[in-house]
Structure formats: C-alpha cells, structure tokens
Amino acid sequence: MRVDIAARIAENLAAVQGRIAEAAVRAGRSPGDVRLVAVTKYVGPDEIEALLAAGCRDLGESRPQQLWQRAELFRTTAGTPLRWHLIGHLQTNKVRRTLPAVDLIHSVDSLHLAQTIDAEGARLGRPARVLLEVNISGEPSKHGFPPEAVEQVIPQLLALPHLRIEGLMGMGSLGGGPEANRAEFAALRQLRDRLRQRFAAPPQASADRSAAHAVDQSVAHPADPSADRLADRCAGNELSGELSVRGPFAELSMGMSDDFPIAIEEGATIVRVGSALFEGLPAP
C-alpha cells in the first residue's frame, strides 16, 4: 500500500508538537518558548515539501553542501520564507557560501571558525547569528568546545563585532541513556546561565549598540501557555518570518528525536528533530 507522504508527515509533525507542548508544561514553561527545527538530512525534496505544506518553516541540515542546494531549491517555491539552520560541523573553507544561506549556525566550535564567520559577516555587512557548540558528553567523536574552556574564550568571541552569540548547542551521549542525557542537558543549561549572568549585556546597553547590531535587537515573546503558540512558531507566523532574537546566551539548542522531551524539561529553547517526523515512511 502506497504511503501518503504529506498526510503521514503532517500527522507526525502534530505528534511532535504535542510532545513538545507536554514537556514544556511539565517543566512549567510556555510551549511557545521552544522552537522546533526539522532535520531534513535523510529525506528528499518530496518530504521537505510535505513539511512545508504542514506549516514547518525551520529546517536543519548537517552538511553545508546539502544546505546550499536545498536553500536554493526552495528559495522561490516555499512561499513563506524558510529559516535554515546549520546543525553540523562547519569547515572554514565553507563559511563564505554558507553564511548567506542560513539564519542560525548551531555549531561554532573554535575561535578560528568564529573569526572566519565574523570576517564574512563584515564582508556581507551584517552580523552572523551563531550558537557555540559544547561537547557536553566528552565523547572524542564529537566536535565542540570542552565545557571548561568555554568561559575563557568568550571575551575573545565577544570582541568580534559581526558575531552574534545567541546561546549554546550540545548533544547528549549516544549510549548513556535518559538519565545521563538529562544530567548533560542540565549541565549545559547551568553553563549557559553562568555565561548569561557574566557576559550578557543589560537591556539598555543592548539598545545603545551600533546600527550594525541594532537590526537584531532582542525581541521577547509574550507569555502564552497554549499549545497553539507552538504551531505558530513552527509555521513562522511571527516576526515576518524572521528568527526571534532573545538576547545574548538566551538559546539552548539540545535534544533530538530520542531525547527532546528531556531536553525541554531541562531548558532547551530549540530542539532538532528528524526521524520522529518521518516515521512510517519508506526508507530512502
């Protein structure tokens, strides 16, 4: 029997949104505080079109080359503007082509990469929105700053005028299980909170920044406990399709298909979900 791709993906998306809302409520948070990034690296254009039809506008890719291709492919066919997220490793020689295509880079994992992004942002005449990747599990196979090294490098990163550090990104350990992942997510949140307390500029200081930075001033979302708010964010029905900016070190990108409810309970503001959105579809 042929699977109706559009119907199945719409059903899966609604189920994921529901689980996000439930996890947020359990943690005493608004579902609207969590942004869903649909990870599309293992699916094709048909599945992406189905996601768009279901209302999702935040898409994530791990490989820069694939992001370039898909950003161009869907540039004029998507209707409402898409927000592309690079969630995988970025080499410096791919920064120039990547930066114009993305709204948020989740994976800045070295000072050298940050400096390269800053230089390209200067060339483009706009700041680049980034998250700092932190290797919270300590696994050697993963990229990211060691947790103990992040605080020391922040002053150098903040000196880069075309780099906008919006928060941190991390991945739970592959084989640690739910409780290990919960502890890792909690540790990342605590690190983010320390950085925010020490380095985030107060609101008035942010308001006095230069014009190059003023285009991305913090925009707070009003509290809204309803699950409908989550659907609005996924559908891109706010800020004219632009990513909201909630200030320095406000974002926590953590949690994937297997553990995103735990990540939300521990403070995630962005979850990166792939396989849960495509369950029940034929293997690519």
Side-chain angles (χ1 to χ4, degrees):
M1 183 176 66
R2 185 176 182 275
V3 175
D4 185 330
I5 292 176
R8 180 57 59 87
I9 286 178
E11 180 181 333
N12 290 344
L13 176 61
V16 168
Q17 289 174 337
R19 293 175 66 194
I20 289 173
E22 290 168 1
V25 170
R26 284 197 301 271
R29 302 173 60 199
S30 165
D33 288 339
V34 184
R35 181 178 294 275
L36 170 63
V37 173
V39 179
T40 53
K41 63 180 179 178
Y42 292 128
V43 298
D46 289 346
E47 287 81 6
I48 294 176
E49 287 181 358
L51 273 174
L52 302 182
C56 203
R57 287 296 182 270
D58 285 278
L59 304 180
E61 287 285 344
S62 294
R63 296 181 287 272
Q65 296 95 323
Q66 187 156 294
L67 187 149
W68 305 338
Q69 295 166 359
R70 292 180 167 188
E72 178 61 25
L73 177 63
F74 290 97
R75 182 172 60 88
T76 59
T77 61
T80 303
L82 300 183
R83 293 176 290 256
W84 287 98
H85 300 244
L86 182 70
I87 62 174
H89 182 60
L90 178 61
Q91 296 173 312
T92 55
N93 64 357
K94 295 182 174 64
V95 168
R96 175 157 293 193
R97 191 165 176 185
T98 298
L99 196 54
V102 297
D103 288 275
L104 185 64
I105 297 172
H106 292 228
S107 50
V108 172
D109 58 5
S110 72
L111 176 59
H112 181 50
L113 175 59
Q115 291 167 333
T116 304
I117 294 171
D118 175 72
E120 185 60 21
R123 191 184 74 84
L124 293 173
R126 62 175 177 82
R129 295 169 173 173
V130 306
L131 306 178
L132 305 182
E133 183 175 1
V134 181
N135 188 349
I136 54 176
S137 69
E139 294 169 297
S141 61
K142 290 180 179 175
H143 296 281
F145 290 98
E148 66 276 9
V150 175
E151 197 162 353
Q152 285 70 38
V153 78
I154 293 296
Q156 294 170 275
L157 296 172
L158 291 178
L160 300 174
H162 288 85
L163 195 77
R164 181 61 48 81
I165 303 172
E166 296 194 0
L168 305 179
M169 184 270 265
M171 291 180 283
S173 54
L174 294 176
E179 291 313 308
N181 289 355
R182 183 181 296 278
E184 290 157 356
F185 294 148
L188 188 64
R189 183 195 70 244
Q190 291 161 7
L191 174 60
R192 189 281 310 269
D193 290 348
R194 291 197 302 272
L195 296 176
R196 196 176 187 183
Q197 182 176 15
R198 179 175 175 185
F199 295 109
Q204 186 56 46
S206 294
D208 293 337
R209 287 177 177 171
S210 65
H213 287 257
V215 295
D216 286 322
Q217 287 306 305
S218 178
V219 179
H221 292 292
D224 183 348
S226 71
D228 289 343
R229 180 66 168 167
L230 178 64
D232 286 344
R233 294 198 65 180
C234 187
N237 292 333
E238 59 188 42
L239 299 177
S240 301
E242 295 295 326
L243 268 174
S244 65
V245 181
R246 289 182 279 193
F249 303 103
E251 304 290 359
L252 269 179
S253 172
M254 56 188 193
M256 298 186 290
S257 288
D258 291 339
D259 55 18
F260 70 84
I262 294 173
I264 292 168
E265 291 169 3
E266 295 302 329
T269 64
I270 301 172
V271 293
R272 312 177 305 272
V273 178
S275 60
L277 293 171
F278 307 111
E279 290 179 352
L281 298 181

